[in-house]
């Protein structure tokens, strides 16, 4: 396996105009647990061993405040920081103790297209368990980009990710055996497209989706099976307009995986997934996928 300096997508921080409503949704409906509060943030955990996977903070608008990645070693943390500075990233916090209950060492930068990225090493973990119908961890984050190729190059050359597949509108990037941890989607503006949470299996995606529907949130796209990554999916829009996905069965790849290009990723007319059963994406979901900006942008 490749020596990735970044080993995992750990967590995402969202700004929300209604913190209480967002916490209510992600705990009561989506299946996370509020595990800590600090500095005006609520930290939410999935069932896996990450201390938390989601941070929520009161904001004037719904926004993506930060994406956090776990780094392999203290030396890699130091090297990555130097590389991001050389690449022209704005330094928001220099390497030092993390100001979160998960602890560890971290640095925070803003990459050239506007998203805030945090890199941590030595953060606290918890005993992870698999619970049917509830998220285990984050699977991927999908970022809108007006210049996909430039942002893909940044992730590859500066952060050490590898390109796994490239469809007409998306680039899929990995930092471990998962087919993708970051997806870049072509869009007129930079921002958040959606956040995907890994479920234990297909049955959990189905039952979890049913629970969300029962609470008044319709499926925005799915249930279906994607092309690149081969993962099962169901998309929803949270109460503050953020698109979130339940997913499972993400393709595991090795270094001999052959990158496929746009000519190899396409569907027959009228089909949007492998199975051919997913209805077209709802207008509300499509609108939400291009409506969430980066904090400070």
């Amino acid at each position: 396996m490749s020596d990735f300096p970044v080993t995992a997508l750990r967590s995402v921080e969202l700004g929300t105009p209604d913190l209480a409503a967002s916490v209510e949704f992600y705990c009561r409906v989506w299946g996370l647990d509020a595990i800590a509060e600090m500095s005006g943030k609520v930290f939410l955990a999935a069932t896996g061993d990450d201390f938390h996977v989601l941070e929520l903070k009161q904001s004037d608008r719904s926004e993506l405040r930060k994406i956090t990645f776990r780094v392999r070693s203290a030396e890699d943390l130091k090297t990555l920081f130097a590389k991001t500075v050389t690449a022209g990233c704005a330094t928001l916090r220099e390497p030092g103790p993390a100001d979160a209950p998960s602890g560890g060492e971290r640095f925070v930068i803003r990459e050239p297209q506007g998203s805030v990225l945090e890199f941590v090493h030595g953060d606290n973990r918890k005993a992870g368990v698999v619970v049917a119908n509830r998220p285990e961890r984050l699977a991927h984050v999908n970022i809108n980009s007006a210049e996909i190729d430039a942002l893909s190059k940044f992730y590859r050359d500066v952060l050490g990710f590898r390109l796994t597949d490239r469809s007409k509108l998306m680039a899929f990037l990995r930092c471990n055996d998962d087919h993708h941890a970051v997806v870049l989607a072509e869009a007129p503006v930079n921002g958040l497209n959606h956040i995907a949470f890994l479920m234990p299996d297909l049955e959990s995606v189905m039952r979890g989706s049913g629970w969300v529907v029962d609470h008044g949130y319709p499926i925005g796209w799915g249930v279906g099976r994607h092309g690149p990554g081969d993962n099962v999916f169901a998309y929803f829009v949270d109460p503050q307009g953020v698109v979130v996905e339940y997913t499972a069965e993400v393709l595991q790849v090795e270094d001999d995986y052959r990158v496929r290009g746009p000519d190899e990723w396409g569907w027959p007319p009228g089909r949007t997934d492998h199975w051919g059963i997913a209805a077209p994406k709802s207008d509300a979901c499509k609108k939400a996928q291009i409506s969430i900006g980066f904090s400070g942008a």
Side-chain angles (χ1 to χ4, degrees):
M1 177 178 171
S2 294
D3 290 330
F4 292 105
V6 174
T7 59
L9 168 66
R10 190 200 68 179
S11 58
V12 168
E13 180 181 344
L14 296 175
T16 168
D18 191 335
L19 181 59
S22 291
V23 172
E24 170 77 4
F25 170 80
Y26 284 103
C27 291
R28 186 171 67 91
V29 180
W30 199 247
L32 303 181
D33 293 314
I35 197 168
E37 293 187 36
M38 179 183 289
S39 303
K41 296 181 185 180
V42 179
F43 296 80
L44 305 175
T47 67
D49 66 359
D50 294 313
F51 183 87
H52 68 279
V53 297
L54 184 63
E55 302 173 38
L56 297 173
K57 184 178 177 64
Q58 184 72 36
S59 179
D60 292 336
R61 60 170 185 162
S62 294
E63 60 185 6
L64 176 63
R65 292 180 54 84
K66 183 178 65 181
I67 305 168
T68 299
F69 297 101
R70 184 173 289 116
V71 176
R72 177 178 55 183
S73 68
E75 185 62 29
D76 284 318
L77 193 72
K78 179 180 177 181
T79 300
L80 278 173
F81 177 66
K83 293 182 72 173
T84 62
V85 171
T86 299
C89 298
T91 299
L92 303 185
R93 294 178 183 268
E94 294 190 353
D99 51 350
S102 50
E105 296 288 313
R106 62 89 181 96
F107 70 87
V108 184
I109 55 96
R110 186 184 299 276
E111 52 85 8
Q113 292 190 21
S115 65
V116 174
L117 307 179
E118 179 182 45
F119 300 87
V120 300
H121 171 68
D123 55 320
N124 297 323
R125 311 286 276 271
K126 61 183 178 64
V129 294
V130 176
V131 180
N133 314 328
R134 292 184 59 192
E136 291 183 54
R137 59 174 172 88
L138 290 187
H140 63 265
V141 60
N142 189 311
I143 298 299
N144 292 329
S145 172
E147 299 180 50
I148 287 182
D149 292 337
L151 192 53
S152 174
K153 181 177 174 61
F154 169 80
Y155 271 91
R156 289 181 284 116
D157 295 351
V158 179
L159 305 183
F161 282 64
R162 294 186 67 176
L163 181 71
T164 315
D165 278 308
R166 180 69 161 90
S167 65
K168 181 180 178 181
L169 299 177
M170 295 188 181
F172 298 80
L173 298 150
R174 71 184 182 100
C175 61
N176 50 44
D177 288 347
D178 284 355
H179 179 272
H180 52 278
V182 172
V183 183
L184 309 178
E186 183 177 305
V189 294
N190 300 330
L192 175 66
N193 187 290
H194 69 270
I195 305 164
F197 295 76
L198 185 72
M199 300 290 269
D201 47 34
L202 169 60
E203 181 75 6
S204 293
V205 171
M206 300 298 286
R207 290 188 179 274
S209 295
W211 176 260
V212 178
V213 170
D214 284 346
H215 285 78
Y217 299 91
I219 295 178
W221 186 30
V223 174
R225 187 179 287 280
H226 282 311
D230 200 40
N231 44 311
V232 177
F233 66 88
Y235 287 56
F236 297 86
V237 182
D238 86 356
Q240 308 307 321
V242 176
V243 178
V244 286
E245 174 189 357
Y246 280 151
T247 192
E249 301 182 356
V250 179
L251 181 68
Q252 299 297 289
V253 301
E254 298 182 352
D255 288 347
D256 60 356
Y257 180 84
R258 183 176 68 83
V259 177
R260 290 163 173 79
D263 292 343
E264 297 178 88
W265 292 115
W267 302 118
R271 174 173 287 208
T272 64
D273 76 313
H274 264 312
W275 293 331
I277 61 171
K281 192 178 297 180
S282 72
D283 289 340
C285 187
K286 287 190 287 188
K287 180 180 179 181
Q289 285 184 288
I290 57 171
S291 297
I292 306 300
F294 301 138
S295 62

